[in-house]
Amino acid sequence: MTRLRWCLLAIATLLASVLAVPPASAAQDPAPILDPIPDDPAPSGLGLVLQEVARLPKSEPSAPPTDPRLVRWNRINHVGELPDGSGRLYVPDLNGKLYFLDKKTRTPSVYLDVKATFDPDFFSAAGLGQGFGFVAFHPDFKRNGKFYTAHVEAGNALTTKTPDLTPQPKTGFHGVIDEWTATDPKAGTFSGTHREILRIGFSGRIHNVQQIDFNPNARRGDADYGKLYLAVGDGGNGNVGDNGGDPQNLAVPQGKILRIDPSGTNSANGKYGIPADNPFAGQAGKVGEIYAYGMRDPHRFSWDTGGSHRMFLAHIGEHEIESIHQIDAGSNLGWSEREGAFTFRKDDRCHLYPLPADDAKYGYDYPVAAYDHDPPANWDCASDTGHAISGGYVYRGKLPALRGKYLFTDIVDGRLFYTNEREMKQDPTGQKRAQIYQLAAYDTAGNPVTMKQLAGDNRVDLRYGSDAKGELYLLAKANGKIWKIVGTKQYAGCKPGPKRVSHVAAAKNWAPVTPSKWRFPGREVILAEEGVQRPGPRRPFEYAVLKSGPVFASARIDAEVRLDTPVEISNRDVIIVFGYRDDTHFYYAHLSSDNTIYPHNGIFVVNGADRLRIDQQWNANRSHGAPPAITDEKWHGVRVTHCAGTGEIAVYVDGGARPVMTALDTTFGSGRVGFGSFDNIGRLRDLTVRGTPAE
């Protein structure tokens, strides 16, 4: 009886423990990822020299828009060169007109009015990509006069015209592809014929047909010669509702890149051909036109015209991820099951999640480079964060500093980026991506500028274009201007000047805040005791100013520094002072093992008030700056450059080719140099200052 009672008790205990374990799905339910890509774009130390070449005429949407984002000077969205050797550039405006730019003067003239041709059905009054979306000239345009346009129709077209491929339920817009044949390809105004070749139905007013283009690497006789690629969006809601899953559904065209032969006739409507080498051609239940799929907003694509000749796509994300993908036949980017290399869940409109353990079985093609939105903590996740990627070309032109770099931009805020093509490698796990670098910009006089300044608006609406030689252009809807990249410039690359000061480790050359805390044994300048906070504005507690030599305007400071505070202690730092006027007016570069709080690991100005952070690497929404500059107790080489004329500041560590921190500030145009810390100990040696003495 005792044994039976014991057995029953053991069974009851076991059952209780089993029942107490939550279901496997609940136990393993992953937490959302709050910062999908913690690493921010790094400073490149390189800038683009931009020359304004044209301004296109002001234009208006097809009806007064209700979305303020459509109220622009015009809505130019691409610039390219006609493939006929004429040197003429072409520019489409979403509001309806196609412009040619004269080879010499770059004066614009209307070549074709797409809106007038298709009125009253032509539509550009709502949706950021609606209207005359794109134009692609046949590679043999010089002889056959053929080119292709993508535009959007609504109104009567919805009842009088029928989409060729499966439309989305509740279709509200048509994306239309037309072929045009110019009677005289040399003419400055179109005259000829046109025919519709493809019509696609979309339910939403965004993510319609984006870019259309030909592979510039294909030559006559190649299988890809004359094949037209079409970037087709998901209609704006390809993740939920009636259209949920469209990007993964191979029976519909939405959320795909299509590839067609305009000269063929074997399509369902008989107006174009489906290439036999398309990955799904001839397969029952699948759209044979599909080349790649799983896309939300495939905004811009291009081919590397050198090197690998790979095709790259800039893909605009939903929650947070702006990504670049290598596109091959049959590629699946994963939307709407994935956004970038993260799980997208339809039941959570605000977060992304880790990939599942069995993710490899799906075979998704993850980004070769990506950045995230980093929205503020109080962000309404249903609203626009003000970020969207636009590609982008692998540069193969005449400027050596840019060769082999894939240049792209953020449409909204106008930031300029690049990745190195050789580092853009596919990783099936989605974990390895090419580093993204941020570029500066300069006018032709060498003055640092931003695209917001050049466009005259905080919303730049910026895009890239290219000419036949591979030289790149930038164009902005905000003011309708086009700039050509005519050179490159090193950030804070001013010449250091004729004066040099070195071999100054002796005590007589320094003026410390607290002399008793310092040691000058010969080669080194040593802060031997930690400083304490002093009255006045918040600033470094203890430093010594170099008295030897002149007051410098532009200067380059080279030295080796060491943090003697043990690594077990947090908040370790040393500082390099420059532009020093007095105890409450100077700059300093803060080199720290911590980059997660505002006062650490950055560039600061003290101007009669608490130190103010001025470096361009501080991410206030995520509370982190540049990667920690010093994390051990070893010697490290440091270089600080300060260009007094422009206000550019750059900080390099250990001989790096790129700065770890940059800033732009003109508060102080001259001053002395120094070394110190807040409340740590450290030392400096081999100090050399080169620069221009202040007048």
Side-chain angles (χ1 to χ4, degrees):
M1 188 69 176
T2 302
R3 177 176 293 182
L4 177 61
R5 186 182 301 114
W6 181 89
C7 290
L8 291 173
L9 179 61
I11 293 172
T13 302
L14 178 61
L15 286 173
S17 64
V18 170
L19 293 174
V21 176
S25 59
Q28 299 176 4
D29 191 30
I33 300 174
L34 301 182
D35 188 6
I37 302 179
D39 295 332
D40 293 334
S44 67
L46 184 66
L48 306 179
V49 180
L50 304 177
Q51 180 182 54
E52 183 179 329
V53 296
R55 189 182 198 190
L56 280 293
K58 188 174 177 61
S59 67
E60 302 291 341
S62 58
T66 58
D67 187 341
R69 295 175 297 178
L70 272 66
V71 181
R72 309 270 73 193
W73 176 264
N74 57 33
R75 298 176 66 206
I76 56 174
N77 66 347
H78 183 65
V79 57
E81 182 175 333
L82 275 73
D84 61 358
S86 68
R88 295 176 293 176
L89 299 179
Y90 62 86
V91 182
D93 183 334
L94 282 161
N95 289 333
K97 293 180 179 178
L98 173 61
Y99 295 92
F100 280 3
L101 304 184
D102 181 80
K103 177 181 179 180
K104 295 182 179 180
T105 67
R106 296 311 188 200
T107 302
S109 60
V110 177
Y111 178 72
L112 171 66
D113 191 335
V114 175
K115 176 182 182 299
T117 304
F118 298 107
D119 266 345
D121 294 335
F122 179 89
F123 183 86
S124 67
L128 298 179
Q130 305 283 71
F132 170 28
F134 216 85
V135 60
F137 288 82
H138 192 283
D140 202 23
F141 171 76
K142 184 177 182 178
R143 288 191 287 184
N144 64 24
K146 294 186 182 298
F147 62 98
Y148 301 83
T149 60
H151 75 277
V152 175
E153 292 183 4
N156 291 332
L158 301 178
T159 56
T160 61
K161 300 176 182 178
T162 304
D164 297 298
L165 302 174
T166 303
Q168 291 181 322
K170 302 176 184 177
T171 293
F173 305 93
H174 289 172
V176 187
I177 308 299
D178 279 84
E179 177 186 79
W180 307 72
T181 304
T183 303
D184 179 9
K186 296 180 181 179
T189 304
F190 175 77
S191 176
T193 61
H194 71 92
R195 69 182 182 99
E196 181 178 311
I197 62 174
L198 177 60
R199 180 175 292 261
I200 301 174
F202 297 89
S203 64
R205 63 185 184 183
I206 57 175
H207 310 168
N208 201 297
V209 179
Q210 293 281 16
Q211 181 180 354
I212 60 175
D213 223 333
F214 295 94
N215 181 352
N217 298 315
R219 298 293 178 261
R220 193 182 302 276
D222 294 346
D224 214 24
Y225 184 80
K227 303 303 188 293
L228 184 64
Y229 289 75
L230 296 78
V232 180
D234 69 356
N237 55 358
N239 54 356
V240 294
D242 294 329
N243 309 323
D246 278 358
Q248 292 295 316
N249 182 358
L250 294 174
V252 301
Q254 294 83 11
K256 318 292 194 304
I257 288 179
L258 309 183
R259 178 175 177 260
I260 65 173
D261 180 1
S263 65
T265 58
N266 68 332
S267 61
N269 67 7
K271 298 178 181 179
Y272 62 90
I274 300 174
D277 58 350
N278 274 7
F280 307 107
Q283 297 185 24
K286 298 178 182 179
V287 175
E289 291 89 336
I290 295 173
Y291 183 77
Y293 63 110
M295 301 165 194
R296 175 182 181 268
D297 188 6
H299 187 257
R300 291 291 183 268
F301 59 85
S302 65
W303 287 264
D304 183 359
T305 57
S308 65
H309 286 181
R310 288 183 291 171
M311 182 181 182
F312 294 110
L313 170 72
H315 186 265
I316 298 177
E318 169 95 354
H319 283 331
E320 282 212 56
I321 307 301
E322 306 300 318
S323 55
I324 302 163
H325 296 258
Q326 177 179 323
I327 301 298
D328 300 302
S331 291
N332 180 3
L333 276 57
W335 178 253
S336 58
E337 301 302 320
R338 303 287 183 268
E339 182 180 340
F342 303 92
T343 298
F344 177 89
R345 282 179 28 177
K346 300 173 182 63
D347 62 339
D348 185 347
R349 310 297 296 169
C350 298
H351 302 101
L352 297 175
Y353 289 80
L355 297 177
D358 62 348
D359 183 68
K361 72 180 184 182
Y362 299 102
Y364 294 132
D365 295 285
Y366 291 128
V368 294
Y371 66 99
D372 62 6
H373 294 173
D374 285 342
N378 60 351
W379 172 58
D380 172 9
C381 61
S383 64
D384 186 356
T385 61
H387 297 290
I389 193 173
S390 183
Y393 300 87
V394 178
Y395 182 82
R396 300 294 180 185
K398 66 181 181 181
L399 302 175
L402 297 181
R403 288 185 192 137
K405 294 176 171 58
Y406 177 85
L407 276 70
F408 62 103
T409 184
D410 189 288
I411 294 173
V412 184
D413 64 24
R415 286 179 296 167
L416 304 169
F417 301 117
Y418 78 79
T419 63
N420 290 307
E421 182 271 334
R422 65 179 181 273
E423 297 175 5
M424 297 167 71
K425 300 178 181 179
Q426 291 184 300
D427 173 24
T429 71
Q431 301 304 305
K432 298 177 182 178
R433 296 179 294 269
Q435 173 67 54
I436 294 176
Y437 299 96
Q438 186 164 349
L439 290 156
Y442 297 89
D443 62 22
T444 52
N447 300 309
V449 293
T450 66
M451 295 313 302
K452 289 182 178 180
Q453 291 169 334
L454 290 179
D457 199 298
N458 281 333
R459 184 182 179 91
V460 182
D461 270 325
L462 190 67
R463 287 159 177 81
Y464 267 107
S466 175
D467 64 21
K469 295 180 180 179
E471 301 305 331
L472 301 185
Y473 297 77
L474 288 161
L475 63 164
K477 294 180 186 177
N479 60 1
K481 290 186 176 182
I482 299 175
W483 301 267
K484 183 178 182 180
I485 299 173
V486 295
T488 59
K489 192 175 184 297
Q490 181 182 352
Y491 190 86
C494 54
K495 294 183 179 179
K499 183 65 177 178
R500 170 182 170 136
V501 177
S502 60
H503 304 291
V504 289
K508 65 179 181 180
N509 298 315
W510 297 87
V513 170
T514 311
S516 63
K517 296 182 181 293
W518 292 81
R519 305 289 182 268
F520 300 92
R523 279 192 63 202
E524 300 176 1
V525 175
I526 302 174
L527 175 55
E529 298 179 33
E530 64 185 44
V532 294
Q533 187 172 358
R534 296 172 288 123
R538 184 76 173 181
R539 62 200 188 283
F541 298 169
E542 186 64 40
Y543 57 85
V545 175
L546 179 65
K547 297 187 297 181
S548 180
V551 172
F552 285 100
S554 293
R556 190 180 82 187
I557 306 158
D558 289 279
E560 289 191 339
V561 300
R562 195 176 90 182
L563 245 171
D564 292 341
T565 300
V567 293
E568 307 86 60
I569 298 176
S570 61
N571 300 338
R572 305 161 67 241
D573 75 275
V574 290
I575 64 165
I576 301 293
V577 174
F578 57 102
Y580 181 88
R581 301 294 188 85
D582 58 44
D583 187 38
T584 57
H585 297 86
F586 58 93
Y587 294 114
Y588 66 94
H590 191 279
L591 308 172
S592 175
S593 57
D594 174 62
N595 72 334
T596 62
I597 58 175
Y598 178 85
H600 276 219
N601 213 63
I603 304 172
F604 298 82
V605 61
V606 179
N607 188 23
D610 288 355
R611 47 66 186 130
L612 176 68
R613 188 160 192 150
I614 58 173
D615 62 276
Q616 298 162 324
Q617 285 64 59
W618 178 245
N619 185 330
N621 292 339
R622 297 299 189 197
S623 190
H624 69 243
I630 299 177
T631 59
D632 52 32
E633 298 176 43
K634 299 178 181 179
W635 286 100
H636 292 274
V638 176
R639 171 175 290 176
V640 178
T641 59
H642 176 215
C643 298
T646 62
E648 296 167 277
I649 302 167
V651 179
Y652 296 80
V653 176
D654 290 332
R658 303 179 186 90
V660 295
M661 307 170 201
T662 57
L664 186 65
D665 186 89
T666 57
T667 303
F668 305 126
S670 62
R672 291 193 172 275
V673 170
F675 169 74
S677 177
F678 268 79
D679 53 359
N680 288 273
I681 56 175
R683 59 190 67 201
L684 172 145
R685 70 184 183 189
D686 297 339
L687 173 68
T688 300
V689 185
R690 299 174 178 86
T692 303
E695 296 181 357

